[in-house]
Amino acid sequence: MDMTLQIHMPGPVCLIENVKGQLRANQKALEILSAITQPVVVVAIVGLYRTGKSYLMNKLAGKKTGFSLGSTVQAHTKGIWMWCVPHPNKANHMLVLLDTEGLGDVEKGDNQNDCWIFSLAILLSSTFVYNSMGAINQQAMDQLHYVTELTDRIRARSSPDQDDGVEDSAEFVSFFPDFVWTLRDMTLKMEVDGLQVTADEYLEISLKLKEGSSKEVEKYNLPRLCIRKFFPKKKCFVFYPPTEWKRLSQLETLQENEIDSEFLQQVAEFCLYVFKECKAKTLPGGIIVNGPRLETLVLTYLSAISSGDLPCMENAVLTLAQIENSAAVEKAITHYDQQMSQRVQLPTETLQELLDLHRTCEREAIEIFLRVSFKDEDHSFQMKLGSRLEERWNDFCKRNMEVSSNRCWALLQDIFRPLEESVKQGTYSKPGGYYLFVQETQRLKEKYQGQPKKGLQADEVLQKYLQSKEAITTAILQTDQSLTEKEKEIEVERKKAESAQAAAKLLEETQKKNEKLMEQKERSYQEHMKQLTEKMENDRIQLKAEQERILSLKLQEQKQLLQEGFREESRKLQEEMKNVEKRYKETMDHMKAESSKTKEEMQRKYEQMLEKDRNHQEHTLHMIEKMERDRAQLVAEQEKTMTLILQERELQLRNELAEERRKHEKEIQDIVAENRQIILKLESERAESAENTIKMLTELNELNLKTLGQKQKTLEDHLIQLTEQRDKDTASLMAEQGKIFDSKLQEQEENFNKKIRAQSQQHREEIWKIKKEGFSCSLM
């Protein structure tokens, strides 16, 4: 529920206390104002004491009693009293009624206090009611001398142009309230020159000037001229006496049937006009005033008065702008923080996800600031907002990284805990343990990579974790007795290559992230410039409308003065209009200059950011290039090492095959020699028994065939074992080395297989040759 709707004031409270001629604000009343967040329609009434001001204010509040009416010749109301009630006709508005102490109290001894009360009532109100008794005559005008002293009591600008030579009432028109003159206890007929006139016509006629240049004429014209020039809108109400004069002191206790019906009708018309026509309090630039802003105006004006200065509208607006713009920055930042906290689930999987949310919330925050802020002429508050938003964005990026890092470390410790326990128990401190350790590490890495919600730090944290375990990996590698020194060297080189490749990948990802961040800064800059341009255009339109309104009022007044024959006053008014146009042009030029200055400043800061980012990117690119060169060099060295090891292994296999070949050749030679001996023996025994010889030859042939078959099978099995061992060794080396050496190993393997097949074919041919020879012998 809106705080304004919760405001309940059963009666008025003193807003500005008058203590021995010193004006000061009442804290309780300020607290009430600070709680009113809606626009306020401020109606202030001033006039001589004991003229019935409080009665009209009570009627506006919808109450019979409230503001003290008083019943003696002494001024009853001291200072300025306030009563805040919900506006009866305007939704979401608050009606603030200000009842002032009576002017002209003889007990005060001087009119200094009255002048300040009068001035404050004008400065604080949107509708100013001047209450007087009887007709508008010279005596009534003389009593309104306070209006002629306004130029000595109020300043529109902090440094007015002293060279104008013309009293510029246009400055006052821009912020002065509407003027309502209430004529109480009017007994004269509303006729002029025998013609019936309305109250408004009567006021216009009363404000006409006299021709002439005497002091009496100047004295006559001055208050009338001030009212015509200072107040853009004028209204008059006439009230007949409410009852017989003896009962006036009992007015608040009288029943309606005891009060004159025409008076009641006139009061009703007055209240209806205030409710329907009186506008919300507005400052120059179209700034709508709410409770807190009205509170600031009160404090600012009283501070100036107490320090001996004149209340200044420009200073008040600037003070209010400082407060409001600071609050607007905080409001925008608060919205950004709330929306980011609600929409962002840390850690985000990608930087783009966080960037999209930031851009949306940043745009909303800038819109809120520009909607609430005003008079930020040098755009310092908007630039402050930009810096604060950038700080918030950097903070979210940092928190995103921290949350991602913490989650990743927790996952790694949980996933790799069994492996670390196994290492402590010595599970991998045995021959072949290193490859088991590597396989288990790879499996756990894949398990980690499959976990969701790790965020942007997943790869970097994994790399750091593995680097922290390099000492354990190296120890297991060096203690694995199944690996040769060359194989260990290869594994060390492979690990270095992997680390270099991982580091290069991280740098590439960092480079991409930096590019996205630079793109974000560009978009942020463009968003600020876009909304700033729109704000400036709206301010220009508002300023132009305000100038046109002032010029329109001045033209009407000038036309009326010319019709009345006051050419000199018309000339002065023409000078004022020229000054209005001149100041409008100066203001527009100042706004353009400030805008250009702000854009240049923002562009300079943006270019500095870009230069810094470019330097960082260049540094990152150099690091990537250097790491890529180091990795390429490491791969080349590793390839060279692998080539030497493969050459050594090939030479070793060749020697083993040559040795096997010599053994088989010797066995064949022995079989041939044995066959020859048998053949000789058979030839010597051929004569003895042809039948036995044939049988023996047949058995011998079968035996030879069987023996040769066994030898052949043994040779083939041995060759198969050698080939399988070679293939196993080659596959192991190739798996460790990776795809870099696949083409080279395949080529070597094909050459080697060709040689094996050639040797095998040669051995088969020799065996079949022996078989053939043996069979030929058997036929012989």
Side-chain angles (χ1 to χ4, degrees):
M1 180 180 293
D2 196 294
M3 285 297 297
T4 302
L5 302 180
Q6 298 179 14
I7 298 295
H8 175 67
M9 292 181 65
V13 297
C14 187
L15 173 63
I16 299 176
E17 299 172 341
N18 182 0
V19 182
K20 296 181 181 180
Q22 298 297 317
L23 302 177
R24 65 187 184 190
N26 179 16
Q27 187 60 37
K28 181 180 178 181
L30 295 179
E31 291 174 359
I32 293 174
L33 286 179
S34 66
I36 302 175
T37 59
Q38 299 300 321
V40 291
V41 177
V42 186
V43 179
I45 190 167
V46 298
L48 297 178
Y49 74 102
R50 300 302 302 126
T51 54
K53 302 186 305 300
S54 300
Y55 178 84
L56 291 179
M57 300 305 277
N58 288 337
K59 287 298 182 180
L60 289 175
K63 302 293 183 179
K64 194 171 183 179
T65 61
F67 289 110
S68 177
L69 300 186
S71 58
T72 67
V73 294
Q74 290 181 316
H76 203 265
T77 302
K78 292 295 183 182
I80 299 178
W81 284 69
M82 176 185 76
W83 199 352
C84 303
V85 296
H87 199 289
N89 284 48
K90 297 182 179 182
N92 299 322
H93 281 65
M94 185 66 75
L95 181 62
V96 178
L97 304 174
L98 301 180
D99 187 17
T100 64
E101 65 178 86
L103 305 178
D105 184 2
V106 294
E107 293 184 359
K108 288 184 286 191
D110 61 64
N111 69 348
Q112 176 79 3
N113 184 76
D114 290 348
C115 287
W116 286 129
I117 292 293
F118 190 92
S119 300
L120 287 171
I122 286 178
L123 288 169
L124 296 175
S125 64
S126 55
T127 296
F128 177 82
V129 181
Y130 179 71
N131 193 69
S132 67
M133 302 295 289
I136 302 177
N137 50 31
Q138 189 56 39
Q139 181 182 0
M141 285 294 177
D142 290 341
Q143 292 171 349
L144 196 55
H145 65 89
Y146 306 101
V147 77
T148 66
E149 301 175 11
L150 286 176
T151 55
D152 298 325
R153 297 286 174 175
I154 298 174
R155 285 192 304 171
R157 291 178 291 156
S158 58
S159 54
D161 190 350
Q162 301 298 330
D163 298 329
D164 286 347
V166 179
E167 179 186 353
D168 191 1
S169 62
E171 296 288 342
F172 288 170
V173 171
S174 65
F175 64 87
F176 263 36
D178 295 340
F179 181 82
V180 176
W181 196 332
T182 54
L183 302 175
R184 305 296 295 275
D185 298 345
M186 185 72 168
T187 57
L188 300 177
K189 291 183 179 181
M190 297 294 292
E191 292 182 359
V192 176
D193 297 332
L195 297 176
Q196 190 78 18
V197 295
T198 65
D200 291 337
E201 290 171 340
Y202 176 60
L203 176 61
E204 291 299 324
I205 294 172
S206 301
L207 293 178
K208 284 187 176 181
L209 307 179
K210 283 186 177 181
E211 295 184 0
S213 57
S214 65
K215 291 184 178 181
E216 288 76 9
V217 171
E218 289 182 1
K219 181 180 179 182
Y220 178 89
N221 287 341
L222 184 57
R224 291 171 173 80
L225 191 59
C226 288
I227 292 174
R228 292 173 62 164
K229 292 171 64 177
F230 292 163
F231 296 99
K233 185 176 180 181
K234 296 173 281 293
K235 182 72 177 174
C236 183
F237 287 93
V238 173
F239 298 92
Y240 295 155
T243 184
E244 58 185 12
W245 69 271
K246 292 182 180 181
R247 304 181 65 184
L248 286 177
S249 61
Q250 305 169 6
L251 188 59
E252 64 181 11
T253 63
L254 295 178
Q255 300 298 321
E256 287 195 1
N257 58 9
E258 298 178 285
I259 301 175
D260 184 80
S261 59
E262 289 192 59
F263 173 79
L264 292 176
Q265 179 63 29
Q266 291 163 343
V267 170
E269 291 175 359
F270 167 75
C271 292
L272 183 62
Y273 172 83
V274 170
F275 295 152
K276 291 184 64 176
E277 302 297 331
C278 295
K279 61 183 182 298
K281 175 69 176 174
T282 306
L283 299 178
I287 304 163
I288 303 297
V289 176
N290 55 16
R293 289 176 177 176
L294 185 60
E295 174 193 11
T296 300
L297 293 178
V298 171
L299 293 173
T300 304
Y301 294 144
L302 289 180
S303 175
I305 292 172
S306 65
S307 64
D309 294 331
L310 298 181
C312 175
M313 173 56 67
E314 184 179 34
N315 289 341
V317 172
L318 290 176
T319 300
L320 185 59
Q322 292 286 327
I323 297 172
E324 293 278 325
N325 292 342
S326 296
V329 170
E330 296 303 323
K331 186 175 182 180
I333 292 297
T334 299
H335 175 84
Y336 176 85
D337 288 342
Q338 289 176 346
Q339 293 301 310
M340 286 290 285
S341 299
Q342 291 173 7
R343 300 178 187 181
V344 177
Q345 297 294 326
L346 300 180
T348 58
E349 290 295 328
T350 63
L351 178 61
Q352 189 63 47
E353 179 184 349
L354 189 62
L355 278 171
D356 291 341
L357 291 171
H358 163 71
R359 287 167 185 159
T360 300
C361 297
E362 180 187 45
R363 183 178 63 255
E364 293 174 358
I366 297 173
E367 289 173 354
I368 288 173
F369 170 79
L370 292 178
R371 186 167 62 247
V372 177
S373 66
F374 63 91
K375 211 72 177 175
D376 186 19
E377 294 181 349
D378 59 355
H379 309 292
S380 59
F381 285 96
Q382 185 170 0
M383 288 192 289
K384 181 179 179 181
L385 174 64
S387 299
R388 293 278 299 278
L389 287 173
E390 185 178 359
E391 290 174 3
R392 287 294 198 277
W393 161 243
N394 292 333
D395 182 59
F396 267 101
C397 288
K398 183 179 178 181
R399 285 168 52 194
N400 192 35
M401 294 296 189
E402 289 176 351
V403 173
S404 175
S405 296
N406 294 338
R407 171 163 174 76
C408 291
W409 277 110
L411 276 175
L412 287 169
Q413 290 172 358
D414 183 60
I415 291 172
F416 279 81
R417 185 177 294 109
L419 180 63
E420 294 178 0
E421 293 294 331
S422 297
V423 171
K424 291 178 181 178
Q425 295 171 7
T427 304
Y428 304 104
S429 299
K430 61 183 180 181
Y434 175 74
Y435 286 115
L436 293 176
F437 176 79
V438 170
Q439 291 174 0
E440 182 63 14
T441 300
Q442 183 61 32
R443 185 185 71 81
L444 295 178
K445 282 170 59 178
E446 293 172 358
K447 181 180 179 180
Y448 165 79
Q449 291 166 347
Q451 296 295 317
K453 299 291 184 182
K454 295 189 297 296
L456 303 178
Q457 292 293 93
D459 293 338
E460 183 174 346
V461 172
L462 175 61
Q463 185 68 13
K464 289 180 179 179
Y465 177 83
L466 295 177
Q467 288 175 353
S468 70
K469 304 300 179 183
E470 281 184 355
I472 297 175
T473 304
T474 303
I476 294 174
L477 172 64
Q478 297 302 327
T479 57
D480 193 338
Q481 298 178 357
S482 66
L483 299 174
T484 65
E485 291 300 321
K486 286 293 182 182
E487 289 173 333
K488 292 178 181 179
E489 290 178 7
I490 291 173
E491 188 61 24
V492 170
E493 296 298 322
R494 184 184 69 81
K495 295 293 291 184
K496 288 181 180 179
E498 280 185 355
S499 297
Q501 187 174 4
K505 181 181 177 182
L506 287 176
L507 278 176
E508 289 175 1
E509 291 177 353
T510 301
Q511 175 70 7
K512 292 178 181 178
K513 182 178 72 174
N514 289 337
E515 290 174 356
K516 286 188 176 182
L517 291 175
M518 285 185 66
E519 180 186 353
Q520 157 57 28
K521 290 177 180 179
E522 167 69 18
R523 290 194 179 188
S524 177
Y525 168 75
Q526 294 298 339
E527 182 65 29
H528 274 280
M529 296 306 299
K530 171 178 171 291
Q531 297 206 34
L532 176 61
T533 303
E534 292 176 356
K535 173 72 171 177
M536 288 174 55
E537 180 62 20
N538 292 335
D539 291 345
R540 187 191 67 79
I541 293 172
Q542 177 68 37
L543 187 63
K544 184 177 180 182
E546 192 172 288
Q547 182 216 19
E548 290 175 350
R549 184 179 69 87
I550 294 172
L551 288 176
S552 176
L553 292 170
K554 292 295 181 182
L555 284 171
Q556 292 177 8
E557 181 65 20
Q558 184 190 30
K559 182 179 179 181
Q560 188 172 353
L561 287 172
L562 287 172
Q563 290 175 349
E564 295 174 7
F566 293 93
R567 297 188 177 278
E568 179 62 22
E569 295 298 333
S570 175
R571 185 191 65 78
K572 292 180 179 179
L573 204 58
Q574 182 66 31
E575 291 294 325
E576 289 185 13
M577 288 189 287
K578 289 181 180 179
N579 285 339
V580 171
E581 294 176 344
K582 175 185 175 183
R583 288 182 186 131
Y584 172 75
K585 184 177 182 303
E586 291 174 350
T587 302
M588 291 304 300
D589 291 342
H590 176 72
M591 289 176 63
K592 289 179 181 178
E594 288 294 335
S595 173
S596 177
K597 181 180 177 182
T598 301
K599 289 181 179 180
E600 290 176 359
E601 179 67 17
M602 293 180 71
Q603 181 68 26
R604 184 182 63 81
K605 290 184 177 180
Y606 174 67
E607 289 176 354
Q608 288 178 349
M609 275 193 311
L610 287 184
E611 184 63 26
K612 183 179 178 181
D613 289 339
R614 278 195 291 266
N615 293 337
H616 180 69
Q617 282 191 322
E618 290 178 1
H619 178 68
T620 304
L621 285 173
H622 289 326
M623 290 183 65
I624 292 175
E625 292 173 358
K626 182 178 183 301
M627 295 191 70
E628 186 61 29
R629 289 195 301 270
D630 294 343
R631 189 178 68 82
Q633 182 179 356
L634 191 61
V635 169
E637 292 176 355
Q638 191 174 14
E639 182 178 1
K640 182 178 179 181
T641 303
M642 286 297 298
T643 301
L644 293 174
I645 292 173
L646 287 172
Q647 288 175 353
E648 291 179 2
R649 179 57 61 86
E650 183 179 3
L651 180 61
Q652 182 182 355
L653 288 174
R654 285 181 179 179
N655 292 335
E656 291 178 357
L657 287 172
E659 182 64 26
E660 290 294 327
R661 182 177 180 183
R662 284 194 296 272
K663 289 181 180 179
H664 286 293
E665 287 177 350
K666 186 176 182 303
E667 290 179 356
I668 292 171
Q669 290 174 358
D670 292 341
I671 292 172
V672 170
E674 185 178 351
N675 286 340
R676 286 176 181 172
Q677 291 177 359
I678 294 172
I679 290 171
L680 292 174
K681 185 178 180 181
L682 287 173
E683 288 177 352
S684 63
E685 294 179 353
R686 182 182 300 172
E688 296 180 1
S689 176
E691 184 177 349
N692 291 338
T693 301
I694 293 171
K695 184 177 179 180
M696 289 177 63
L697 286 173
T698 301
E699 292 176 353
L700 178 61
N701 187 46
E702 292 176 354
L703 178 62
N704 287 338
L705 289 174
K706 184 177 180 180
T707 302
L708 289 173
Q710 291 176 349
K711 291 292 184 180
Q712 181 180 359
K713 187 175 183 305
T714 301
L715 178 59
E716 289 177 350
D717 290 343
H718 186 66
L719 289 174
I720 290 171
Q721 290 177 359
L722 289 174
T723 302
E724 291 177 350
Q725 181 63 37
R726 185 224 45 209
D727 291 343
K728 182 178 180 182
D729 293 342
T730 302
S732 175
L733 289 172
M734 292 302 293
E736 297 165 1
Q737 190 59 45
K739 292 183 179 180
I740 302 173
F741 309 107
D742 283 350
S743 60
K744 191 167 184 177
L745 286 177
Q746 287 176 0
E747 182 180 356
Q748 291 177 349
E749 184 179 357
E750 288 176 0
N751 293 335
F752 189 75
N753 286 337
K754 286 180 183 180
K755 293 178 183 179
I756 294 297
R757 285 195 295 270
Q759 290 178 357
S760 298
Q761 183 63 32
Q762 183 177 355
H763 284 301
R764 289 191 185 96
E765 289 177 357
E766 290 176 354
I767 290 170
W768 281 107
K769 184 177 179 181
I770 293 171
K771 287 182 179 180
K772 188 175 181 181
E773 289 177 355
F775 184 75
S776 298
C777 292
S778 64
L779 293 178
M780 294 174 59

